[in-house]
Amino acid sequence: MTAIISTPYSRDLGDELRRLRETCTQFHGRAMAVQLGWDPSKVSDIELGKVRASEIDLVQYLTSCGKDIDFIDAFRGRYYNAFDLFFAQLPDDLRTLAMAEAIATKIISLDIMTVPGLVQVEDYARELFVDSHIEAPEDIEKFVQARMERQAIMRRPSRPECLFYVHELALRMQLGSAAVREDQYLRLLFNTHILRVVPAHITAFRSPCVLYEFEKASPVVYCETDMAKVFAQDKTAVARARRLFQRLDAVALDEEQSRSKLMEYVSGLREDSDVPGTDLA
């Protein structure tokens, strides 16, 4: 067992081991340690993703959970890269991202073409998945509901400190009906205390980015495309993200200006509602 800096993926897989222990055995953590002949802290550290378990450790642990050789080999394959400072996942793998959001103490993000997922209304999120023409139609509702469930962290008494930079291009996207867009603008207006609009003429930023900070773990940079989710915990990547957000702080509209800008978009939709063919309520 090797001590090493934890990552979002190591914490995710460690939590998966904990859930296997709880669902596949009758052992609590200390009893599992006795079963394996380990020190109790070893079980805890592995399940928290704080240390890298050896291959023998994994075989012993998963065998005690009743798992066969095929399951063990598949898990070992995933665990091999668990502590990498850079790693990528498929877009439909949401556990690592959701866990990072759930334990973060601070979230700062830049979104360019879309509204941040944590403040999207349900119909807007649905339109995003439909409009992409990438997801299978039968999977869209599953992804929409997962996104809505992730927003539960925003309602917690101890929710993370958040700051969302939203590029004006995202506000200009003609996504869904006028009613859907107005609903989304109003959600953003309700959250202007944690949101700042980046004016349309600021074009130096080319890709979305999120910086997660944690109480007892290293900061993580997260970037997302239609093809992959990328997590970076390297110090250079984190430093670049901090410089990005320092630059955004200098050029983005302040809270009052962001509120006024959003009101312009709401007013524009309501003025257009008199045009035949619009469906704004």
Side-chain angles (χ1 to χ4, degrees):
M1 185 176 68
T2 304
I4 193 170
I5 189 170
S6 70
T7 70
Y9 198 30
S10 74
R11 294 190 287 271
D12 179 9
L13 292 182
D15 189 63
E16 186 173 336
L17 290 172
R18 176 191 61 79
R19 290 187 297 110
L20 285 172
R21 170 177 59 77
E22 293 177 347
T23 57
C24 299
T25 79
Q26 299 298 313
F27 301 131
H28 51 70
R30 184 171 292 274
M32 185 68 157
V34 172
Q35 170 71 13
L36 294 170
W38 294 358
D39 185 278
S41 64
K42 180 172 178 176
V43 172
S44 174
D45 287 344
I46 288 175
E47 291 181 351
L48 290 172
K50 294 169 61 176
V51 298
R52 179 189 288 277
S54 69
E55 290 199 5
I56 292 175
D57 291 337
L58 289 177
V59 170
Q60 292 176 342
Y61 190 105
L62 293 171
T63 299
S64 294
C65 292
K67 298 305 177 183
D68 61 22
I69 190 63
D70 291 335
F71 184 98
I72 293 171
D73 282 345
F75 190 91
R76 285 170 56 234
R78 290 188 291 143
Y79 196 82
Y80 182 80
N81 298 111
F83 290 84
D84 290 356
L85 296 184
F86 291 89
F87 67 96
Q89 293 182 319
L90 293 173
D92 59 353
D93 191 337
L94 300 175
R95 270 183 45 89
T96 305
L97 174 61
M99 191 168 183
E101 291 173 339
I103 67 173
T105 55
K106 189 173 184 178
I107 301 174
I108 311 175
S109 75
L110 165 66
D111 285 84
I112 298 174
M113 300 304 294
T114 63
V115 168
L118 290 176
V119 288
Q120 288 176 7
V121 297
E122 185 170 334
D123 286 340
Y124 178 93
R126 185 174 293 106
E127 289 290 343
L128 277 176
F129 287 114
V130 171
D131 192 61
S132 73
H133 298 288
I134 295 176
E135 310 300 345
E138 61 272 18
D139 291 334
I140 288 176
E141 287 306 312
K142 174 183 69 175
F143 291 132
V144 171
Q145 290 310 308
R147 184 160 297 180
M148 295 302 102
E149 289 169 5
R150 283 168 47 204
Q151 294 180 4
I153 68 165
M154 303 298 292
R155 299 187 290 271
R156 295 184 329 206
S158 58
R159 74 181 189 183
E161 177 187 348
C162 294
L163 180 57
F164 303 114
Y165 290 97
V166 183
H167 201 283
E168 197 172 350
L169 290 175
L171 305 180
R172 293 181 175 183
M173 290 287 286
Q174 298 293 302
L175 190 70
S177 67
V180 169
R181 297 198 299 276
E182 182 186 36
D183 195 21
Q184 184 60 73
Y185 292 153
L186 293 175
R187 170 70 67 84
L188 296 178
L189 271 169
F190 182 74
N191 284 282
T192 48
H193 60 294
I194 56 172
L195 180 147
R196 294 180 64 184
V197 173
V198 180
H201 69 274
I202 305 295
T203 59
F205 309 108
R206 295 180 294 275
S207 61
C209 175
V210 186
L211 177 63
Y212 296 106
E213 297 185 4
F214 309 96
E215 182 178 2
K216 297 181 179 180
S218 299
V220 172
V221 180
Y222 171 77
C223 298
E224 180 177 327
T225 72
D226 289 334
M227 304 303 157
K229 291 178 166 64
V230 179
F231 296 81
Q233 199 165 304
D234 176 78
K235 290 181 179 179
T236 301
V238 171
R240 287 176 64 88
R242 293 197 191 282
R243 290 197 297 272
L244 165 68
F245 291 118
Q246 287 173 357
R247 172 62 178 157
L248 282 166
D249 183 60
V251 300
L253 304 181
D254 62 23
E255 180 178 341
E256 287 301 319
Q257 291 170 330
S258 296
R259 182 179 292 111
S260 296
K261 178 62 68 175
L262 286 164
M263 282 302 304
E264 289 178 18
Y265 281 90
V266 173
S267 299
L269 280 177
R270 291 176 175 174
E271 290 171 1
D272 291 343
S273 66
D274 294 330
V275 178
T278 61
D279 55 358
L280 181 63

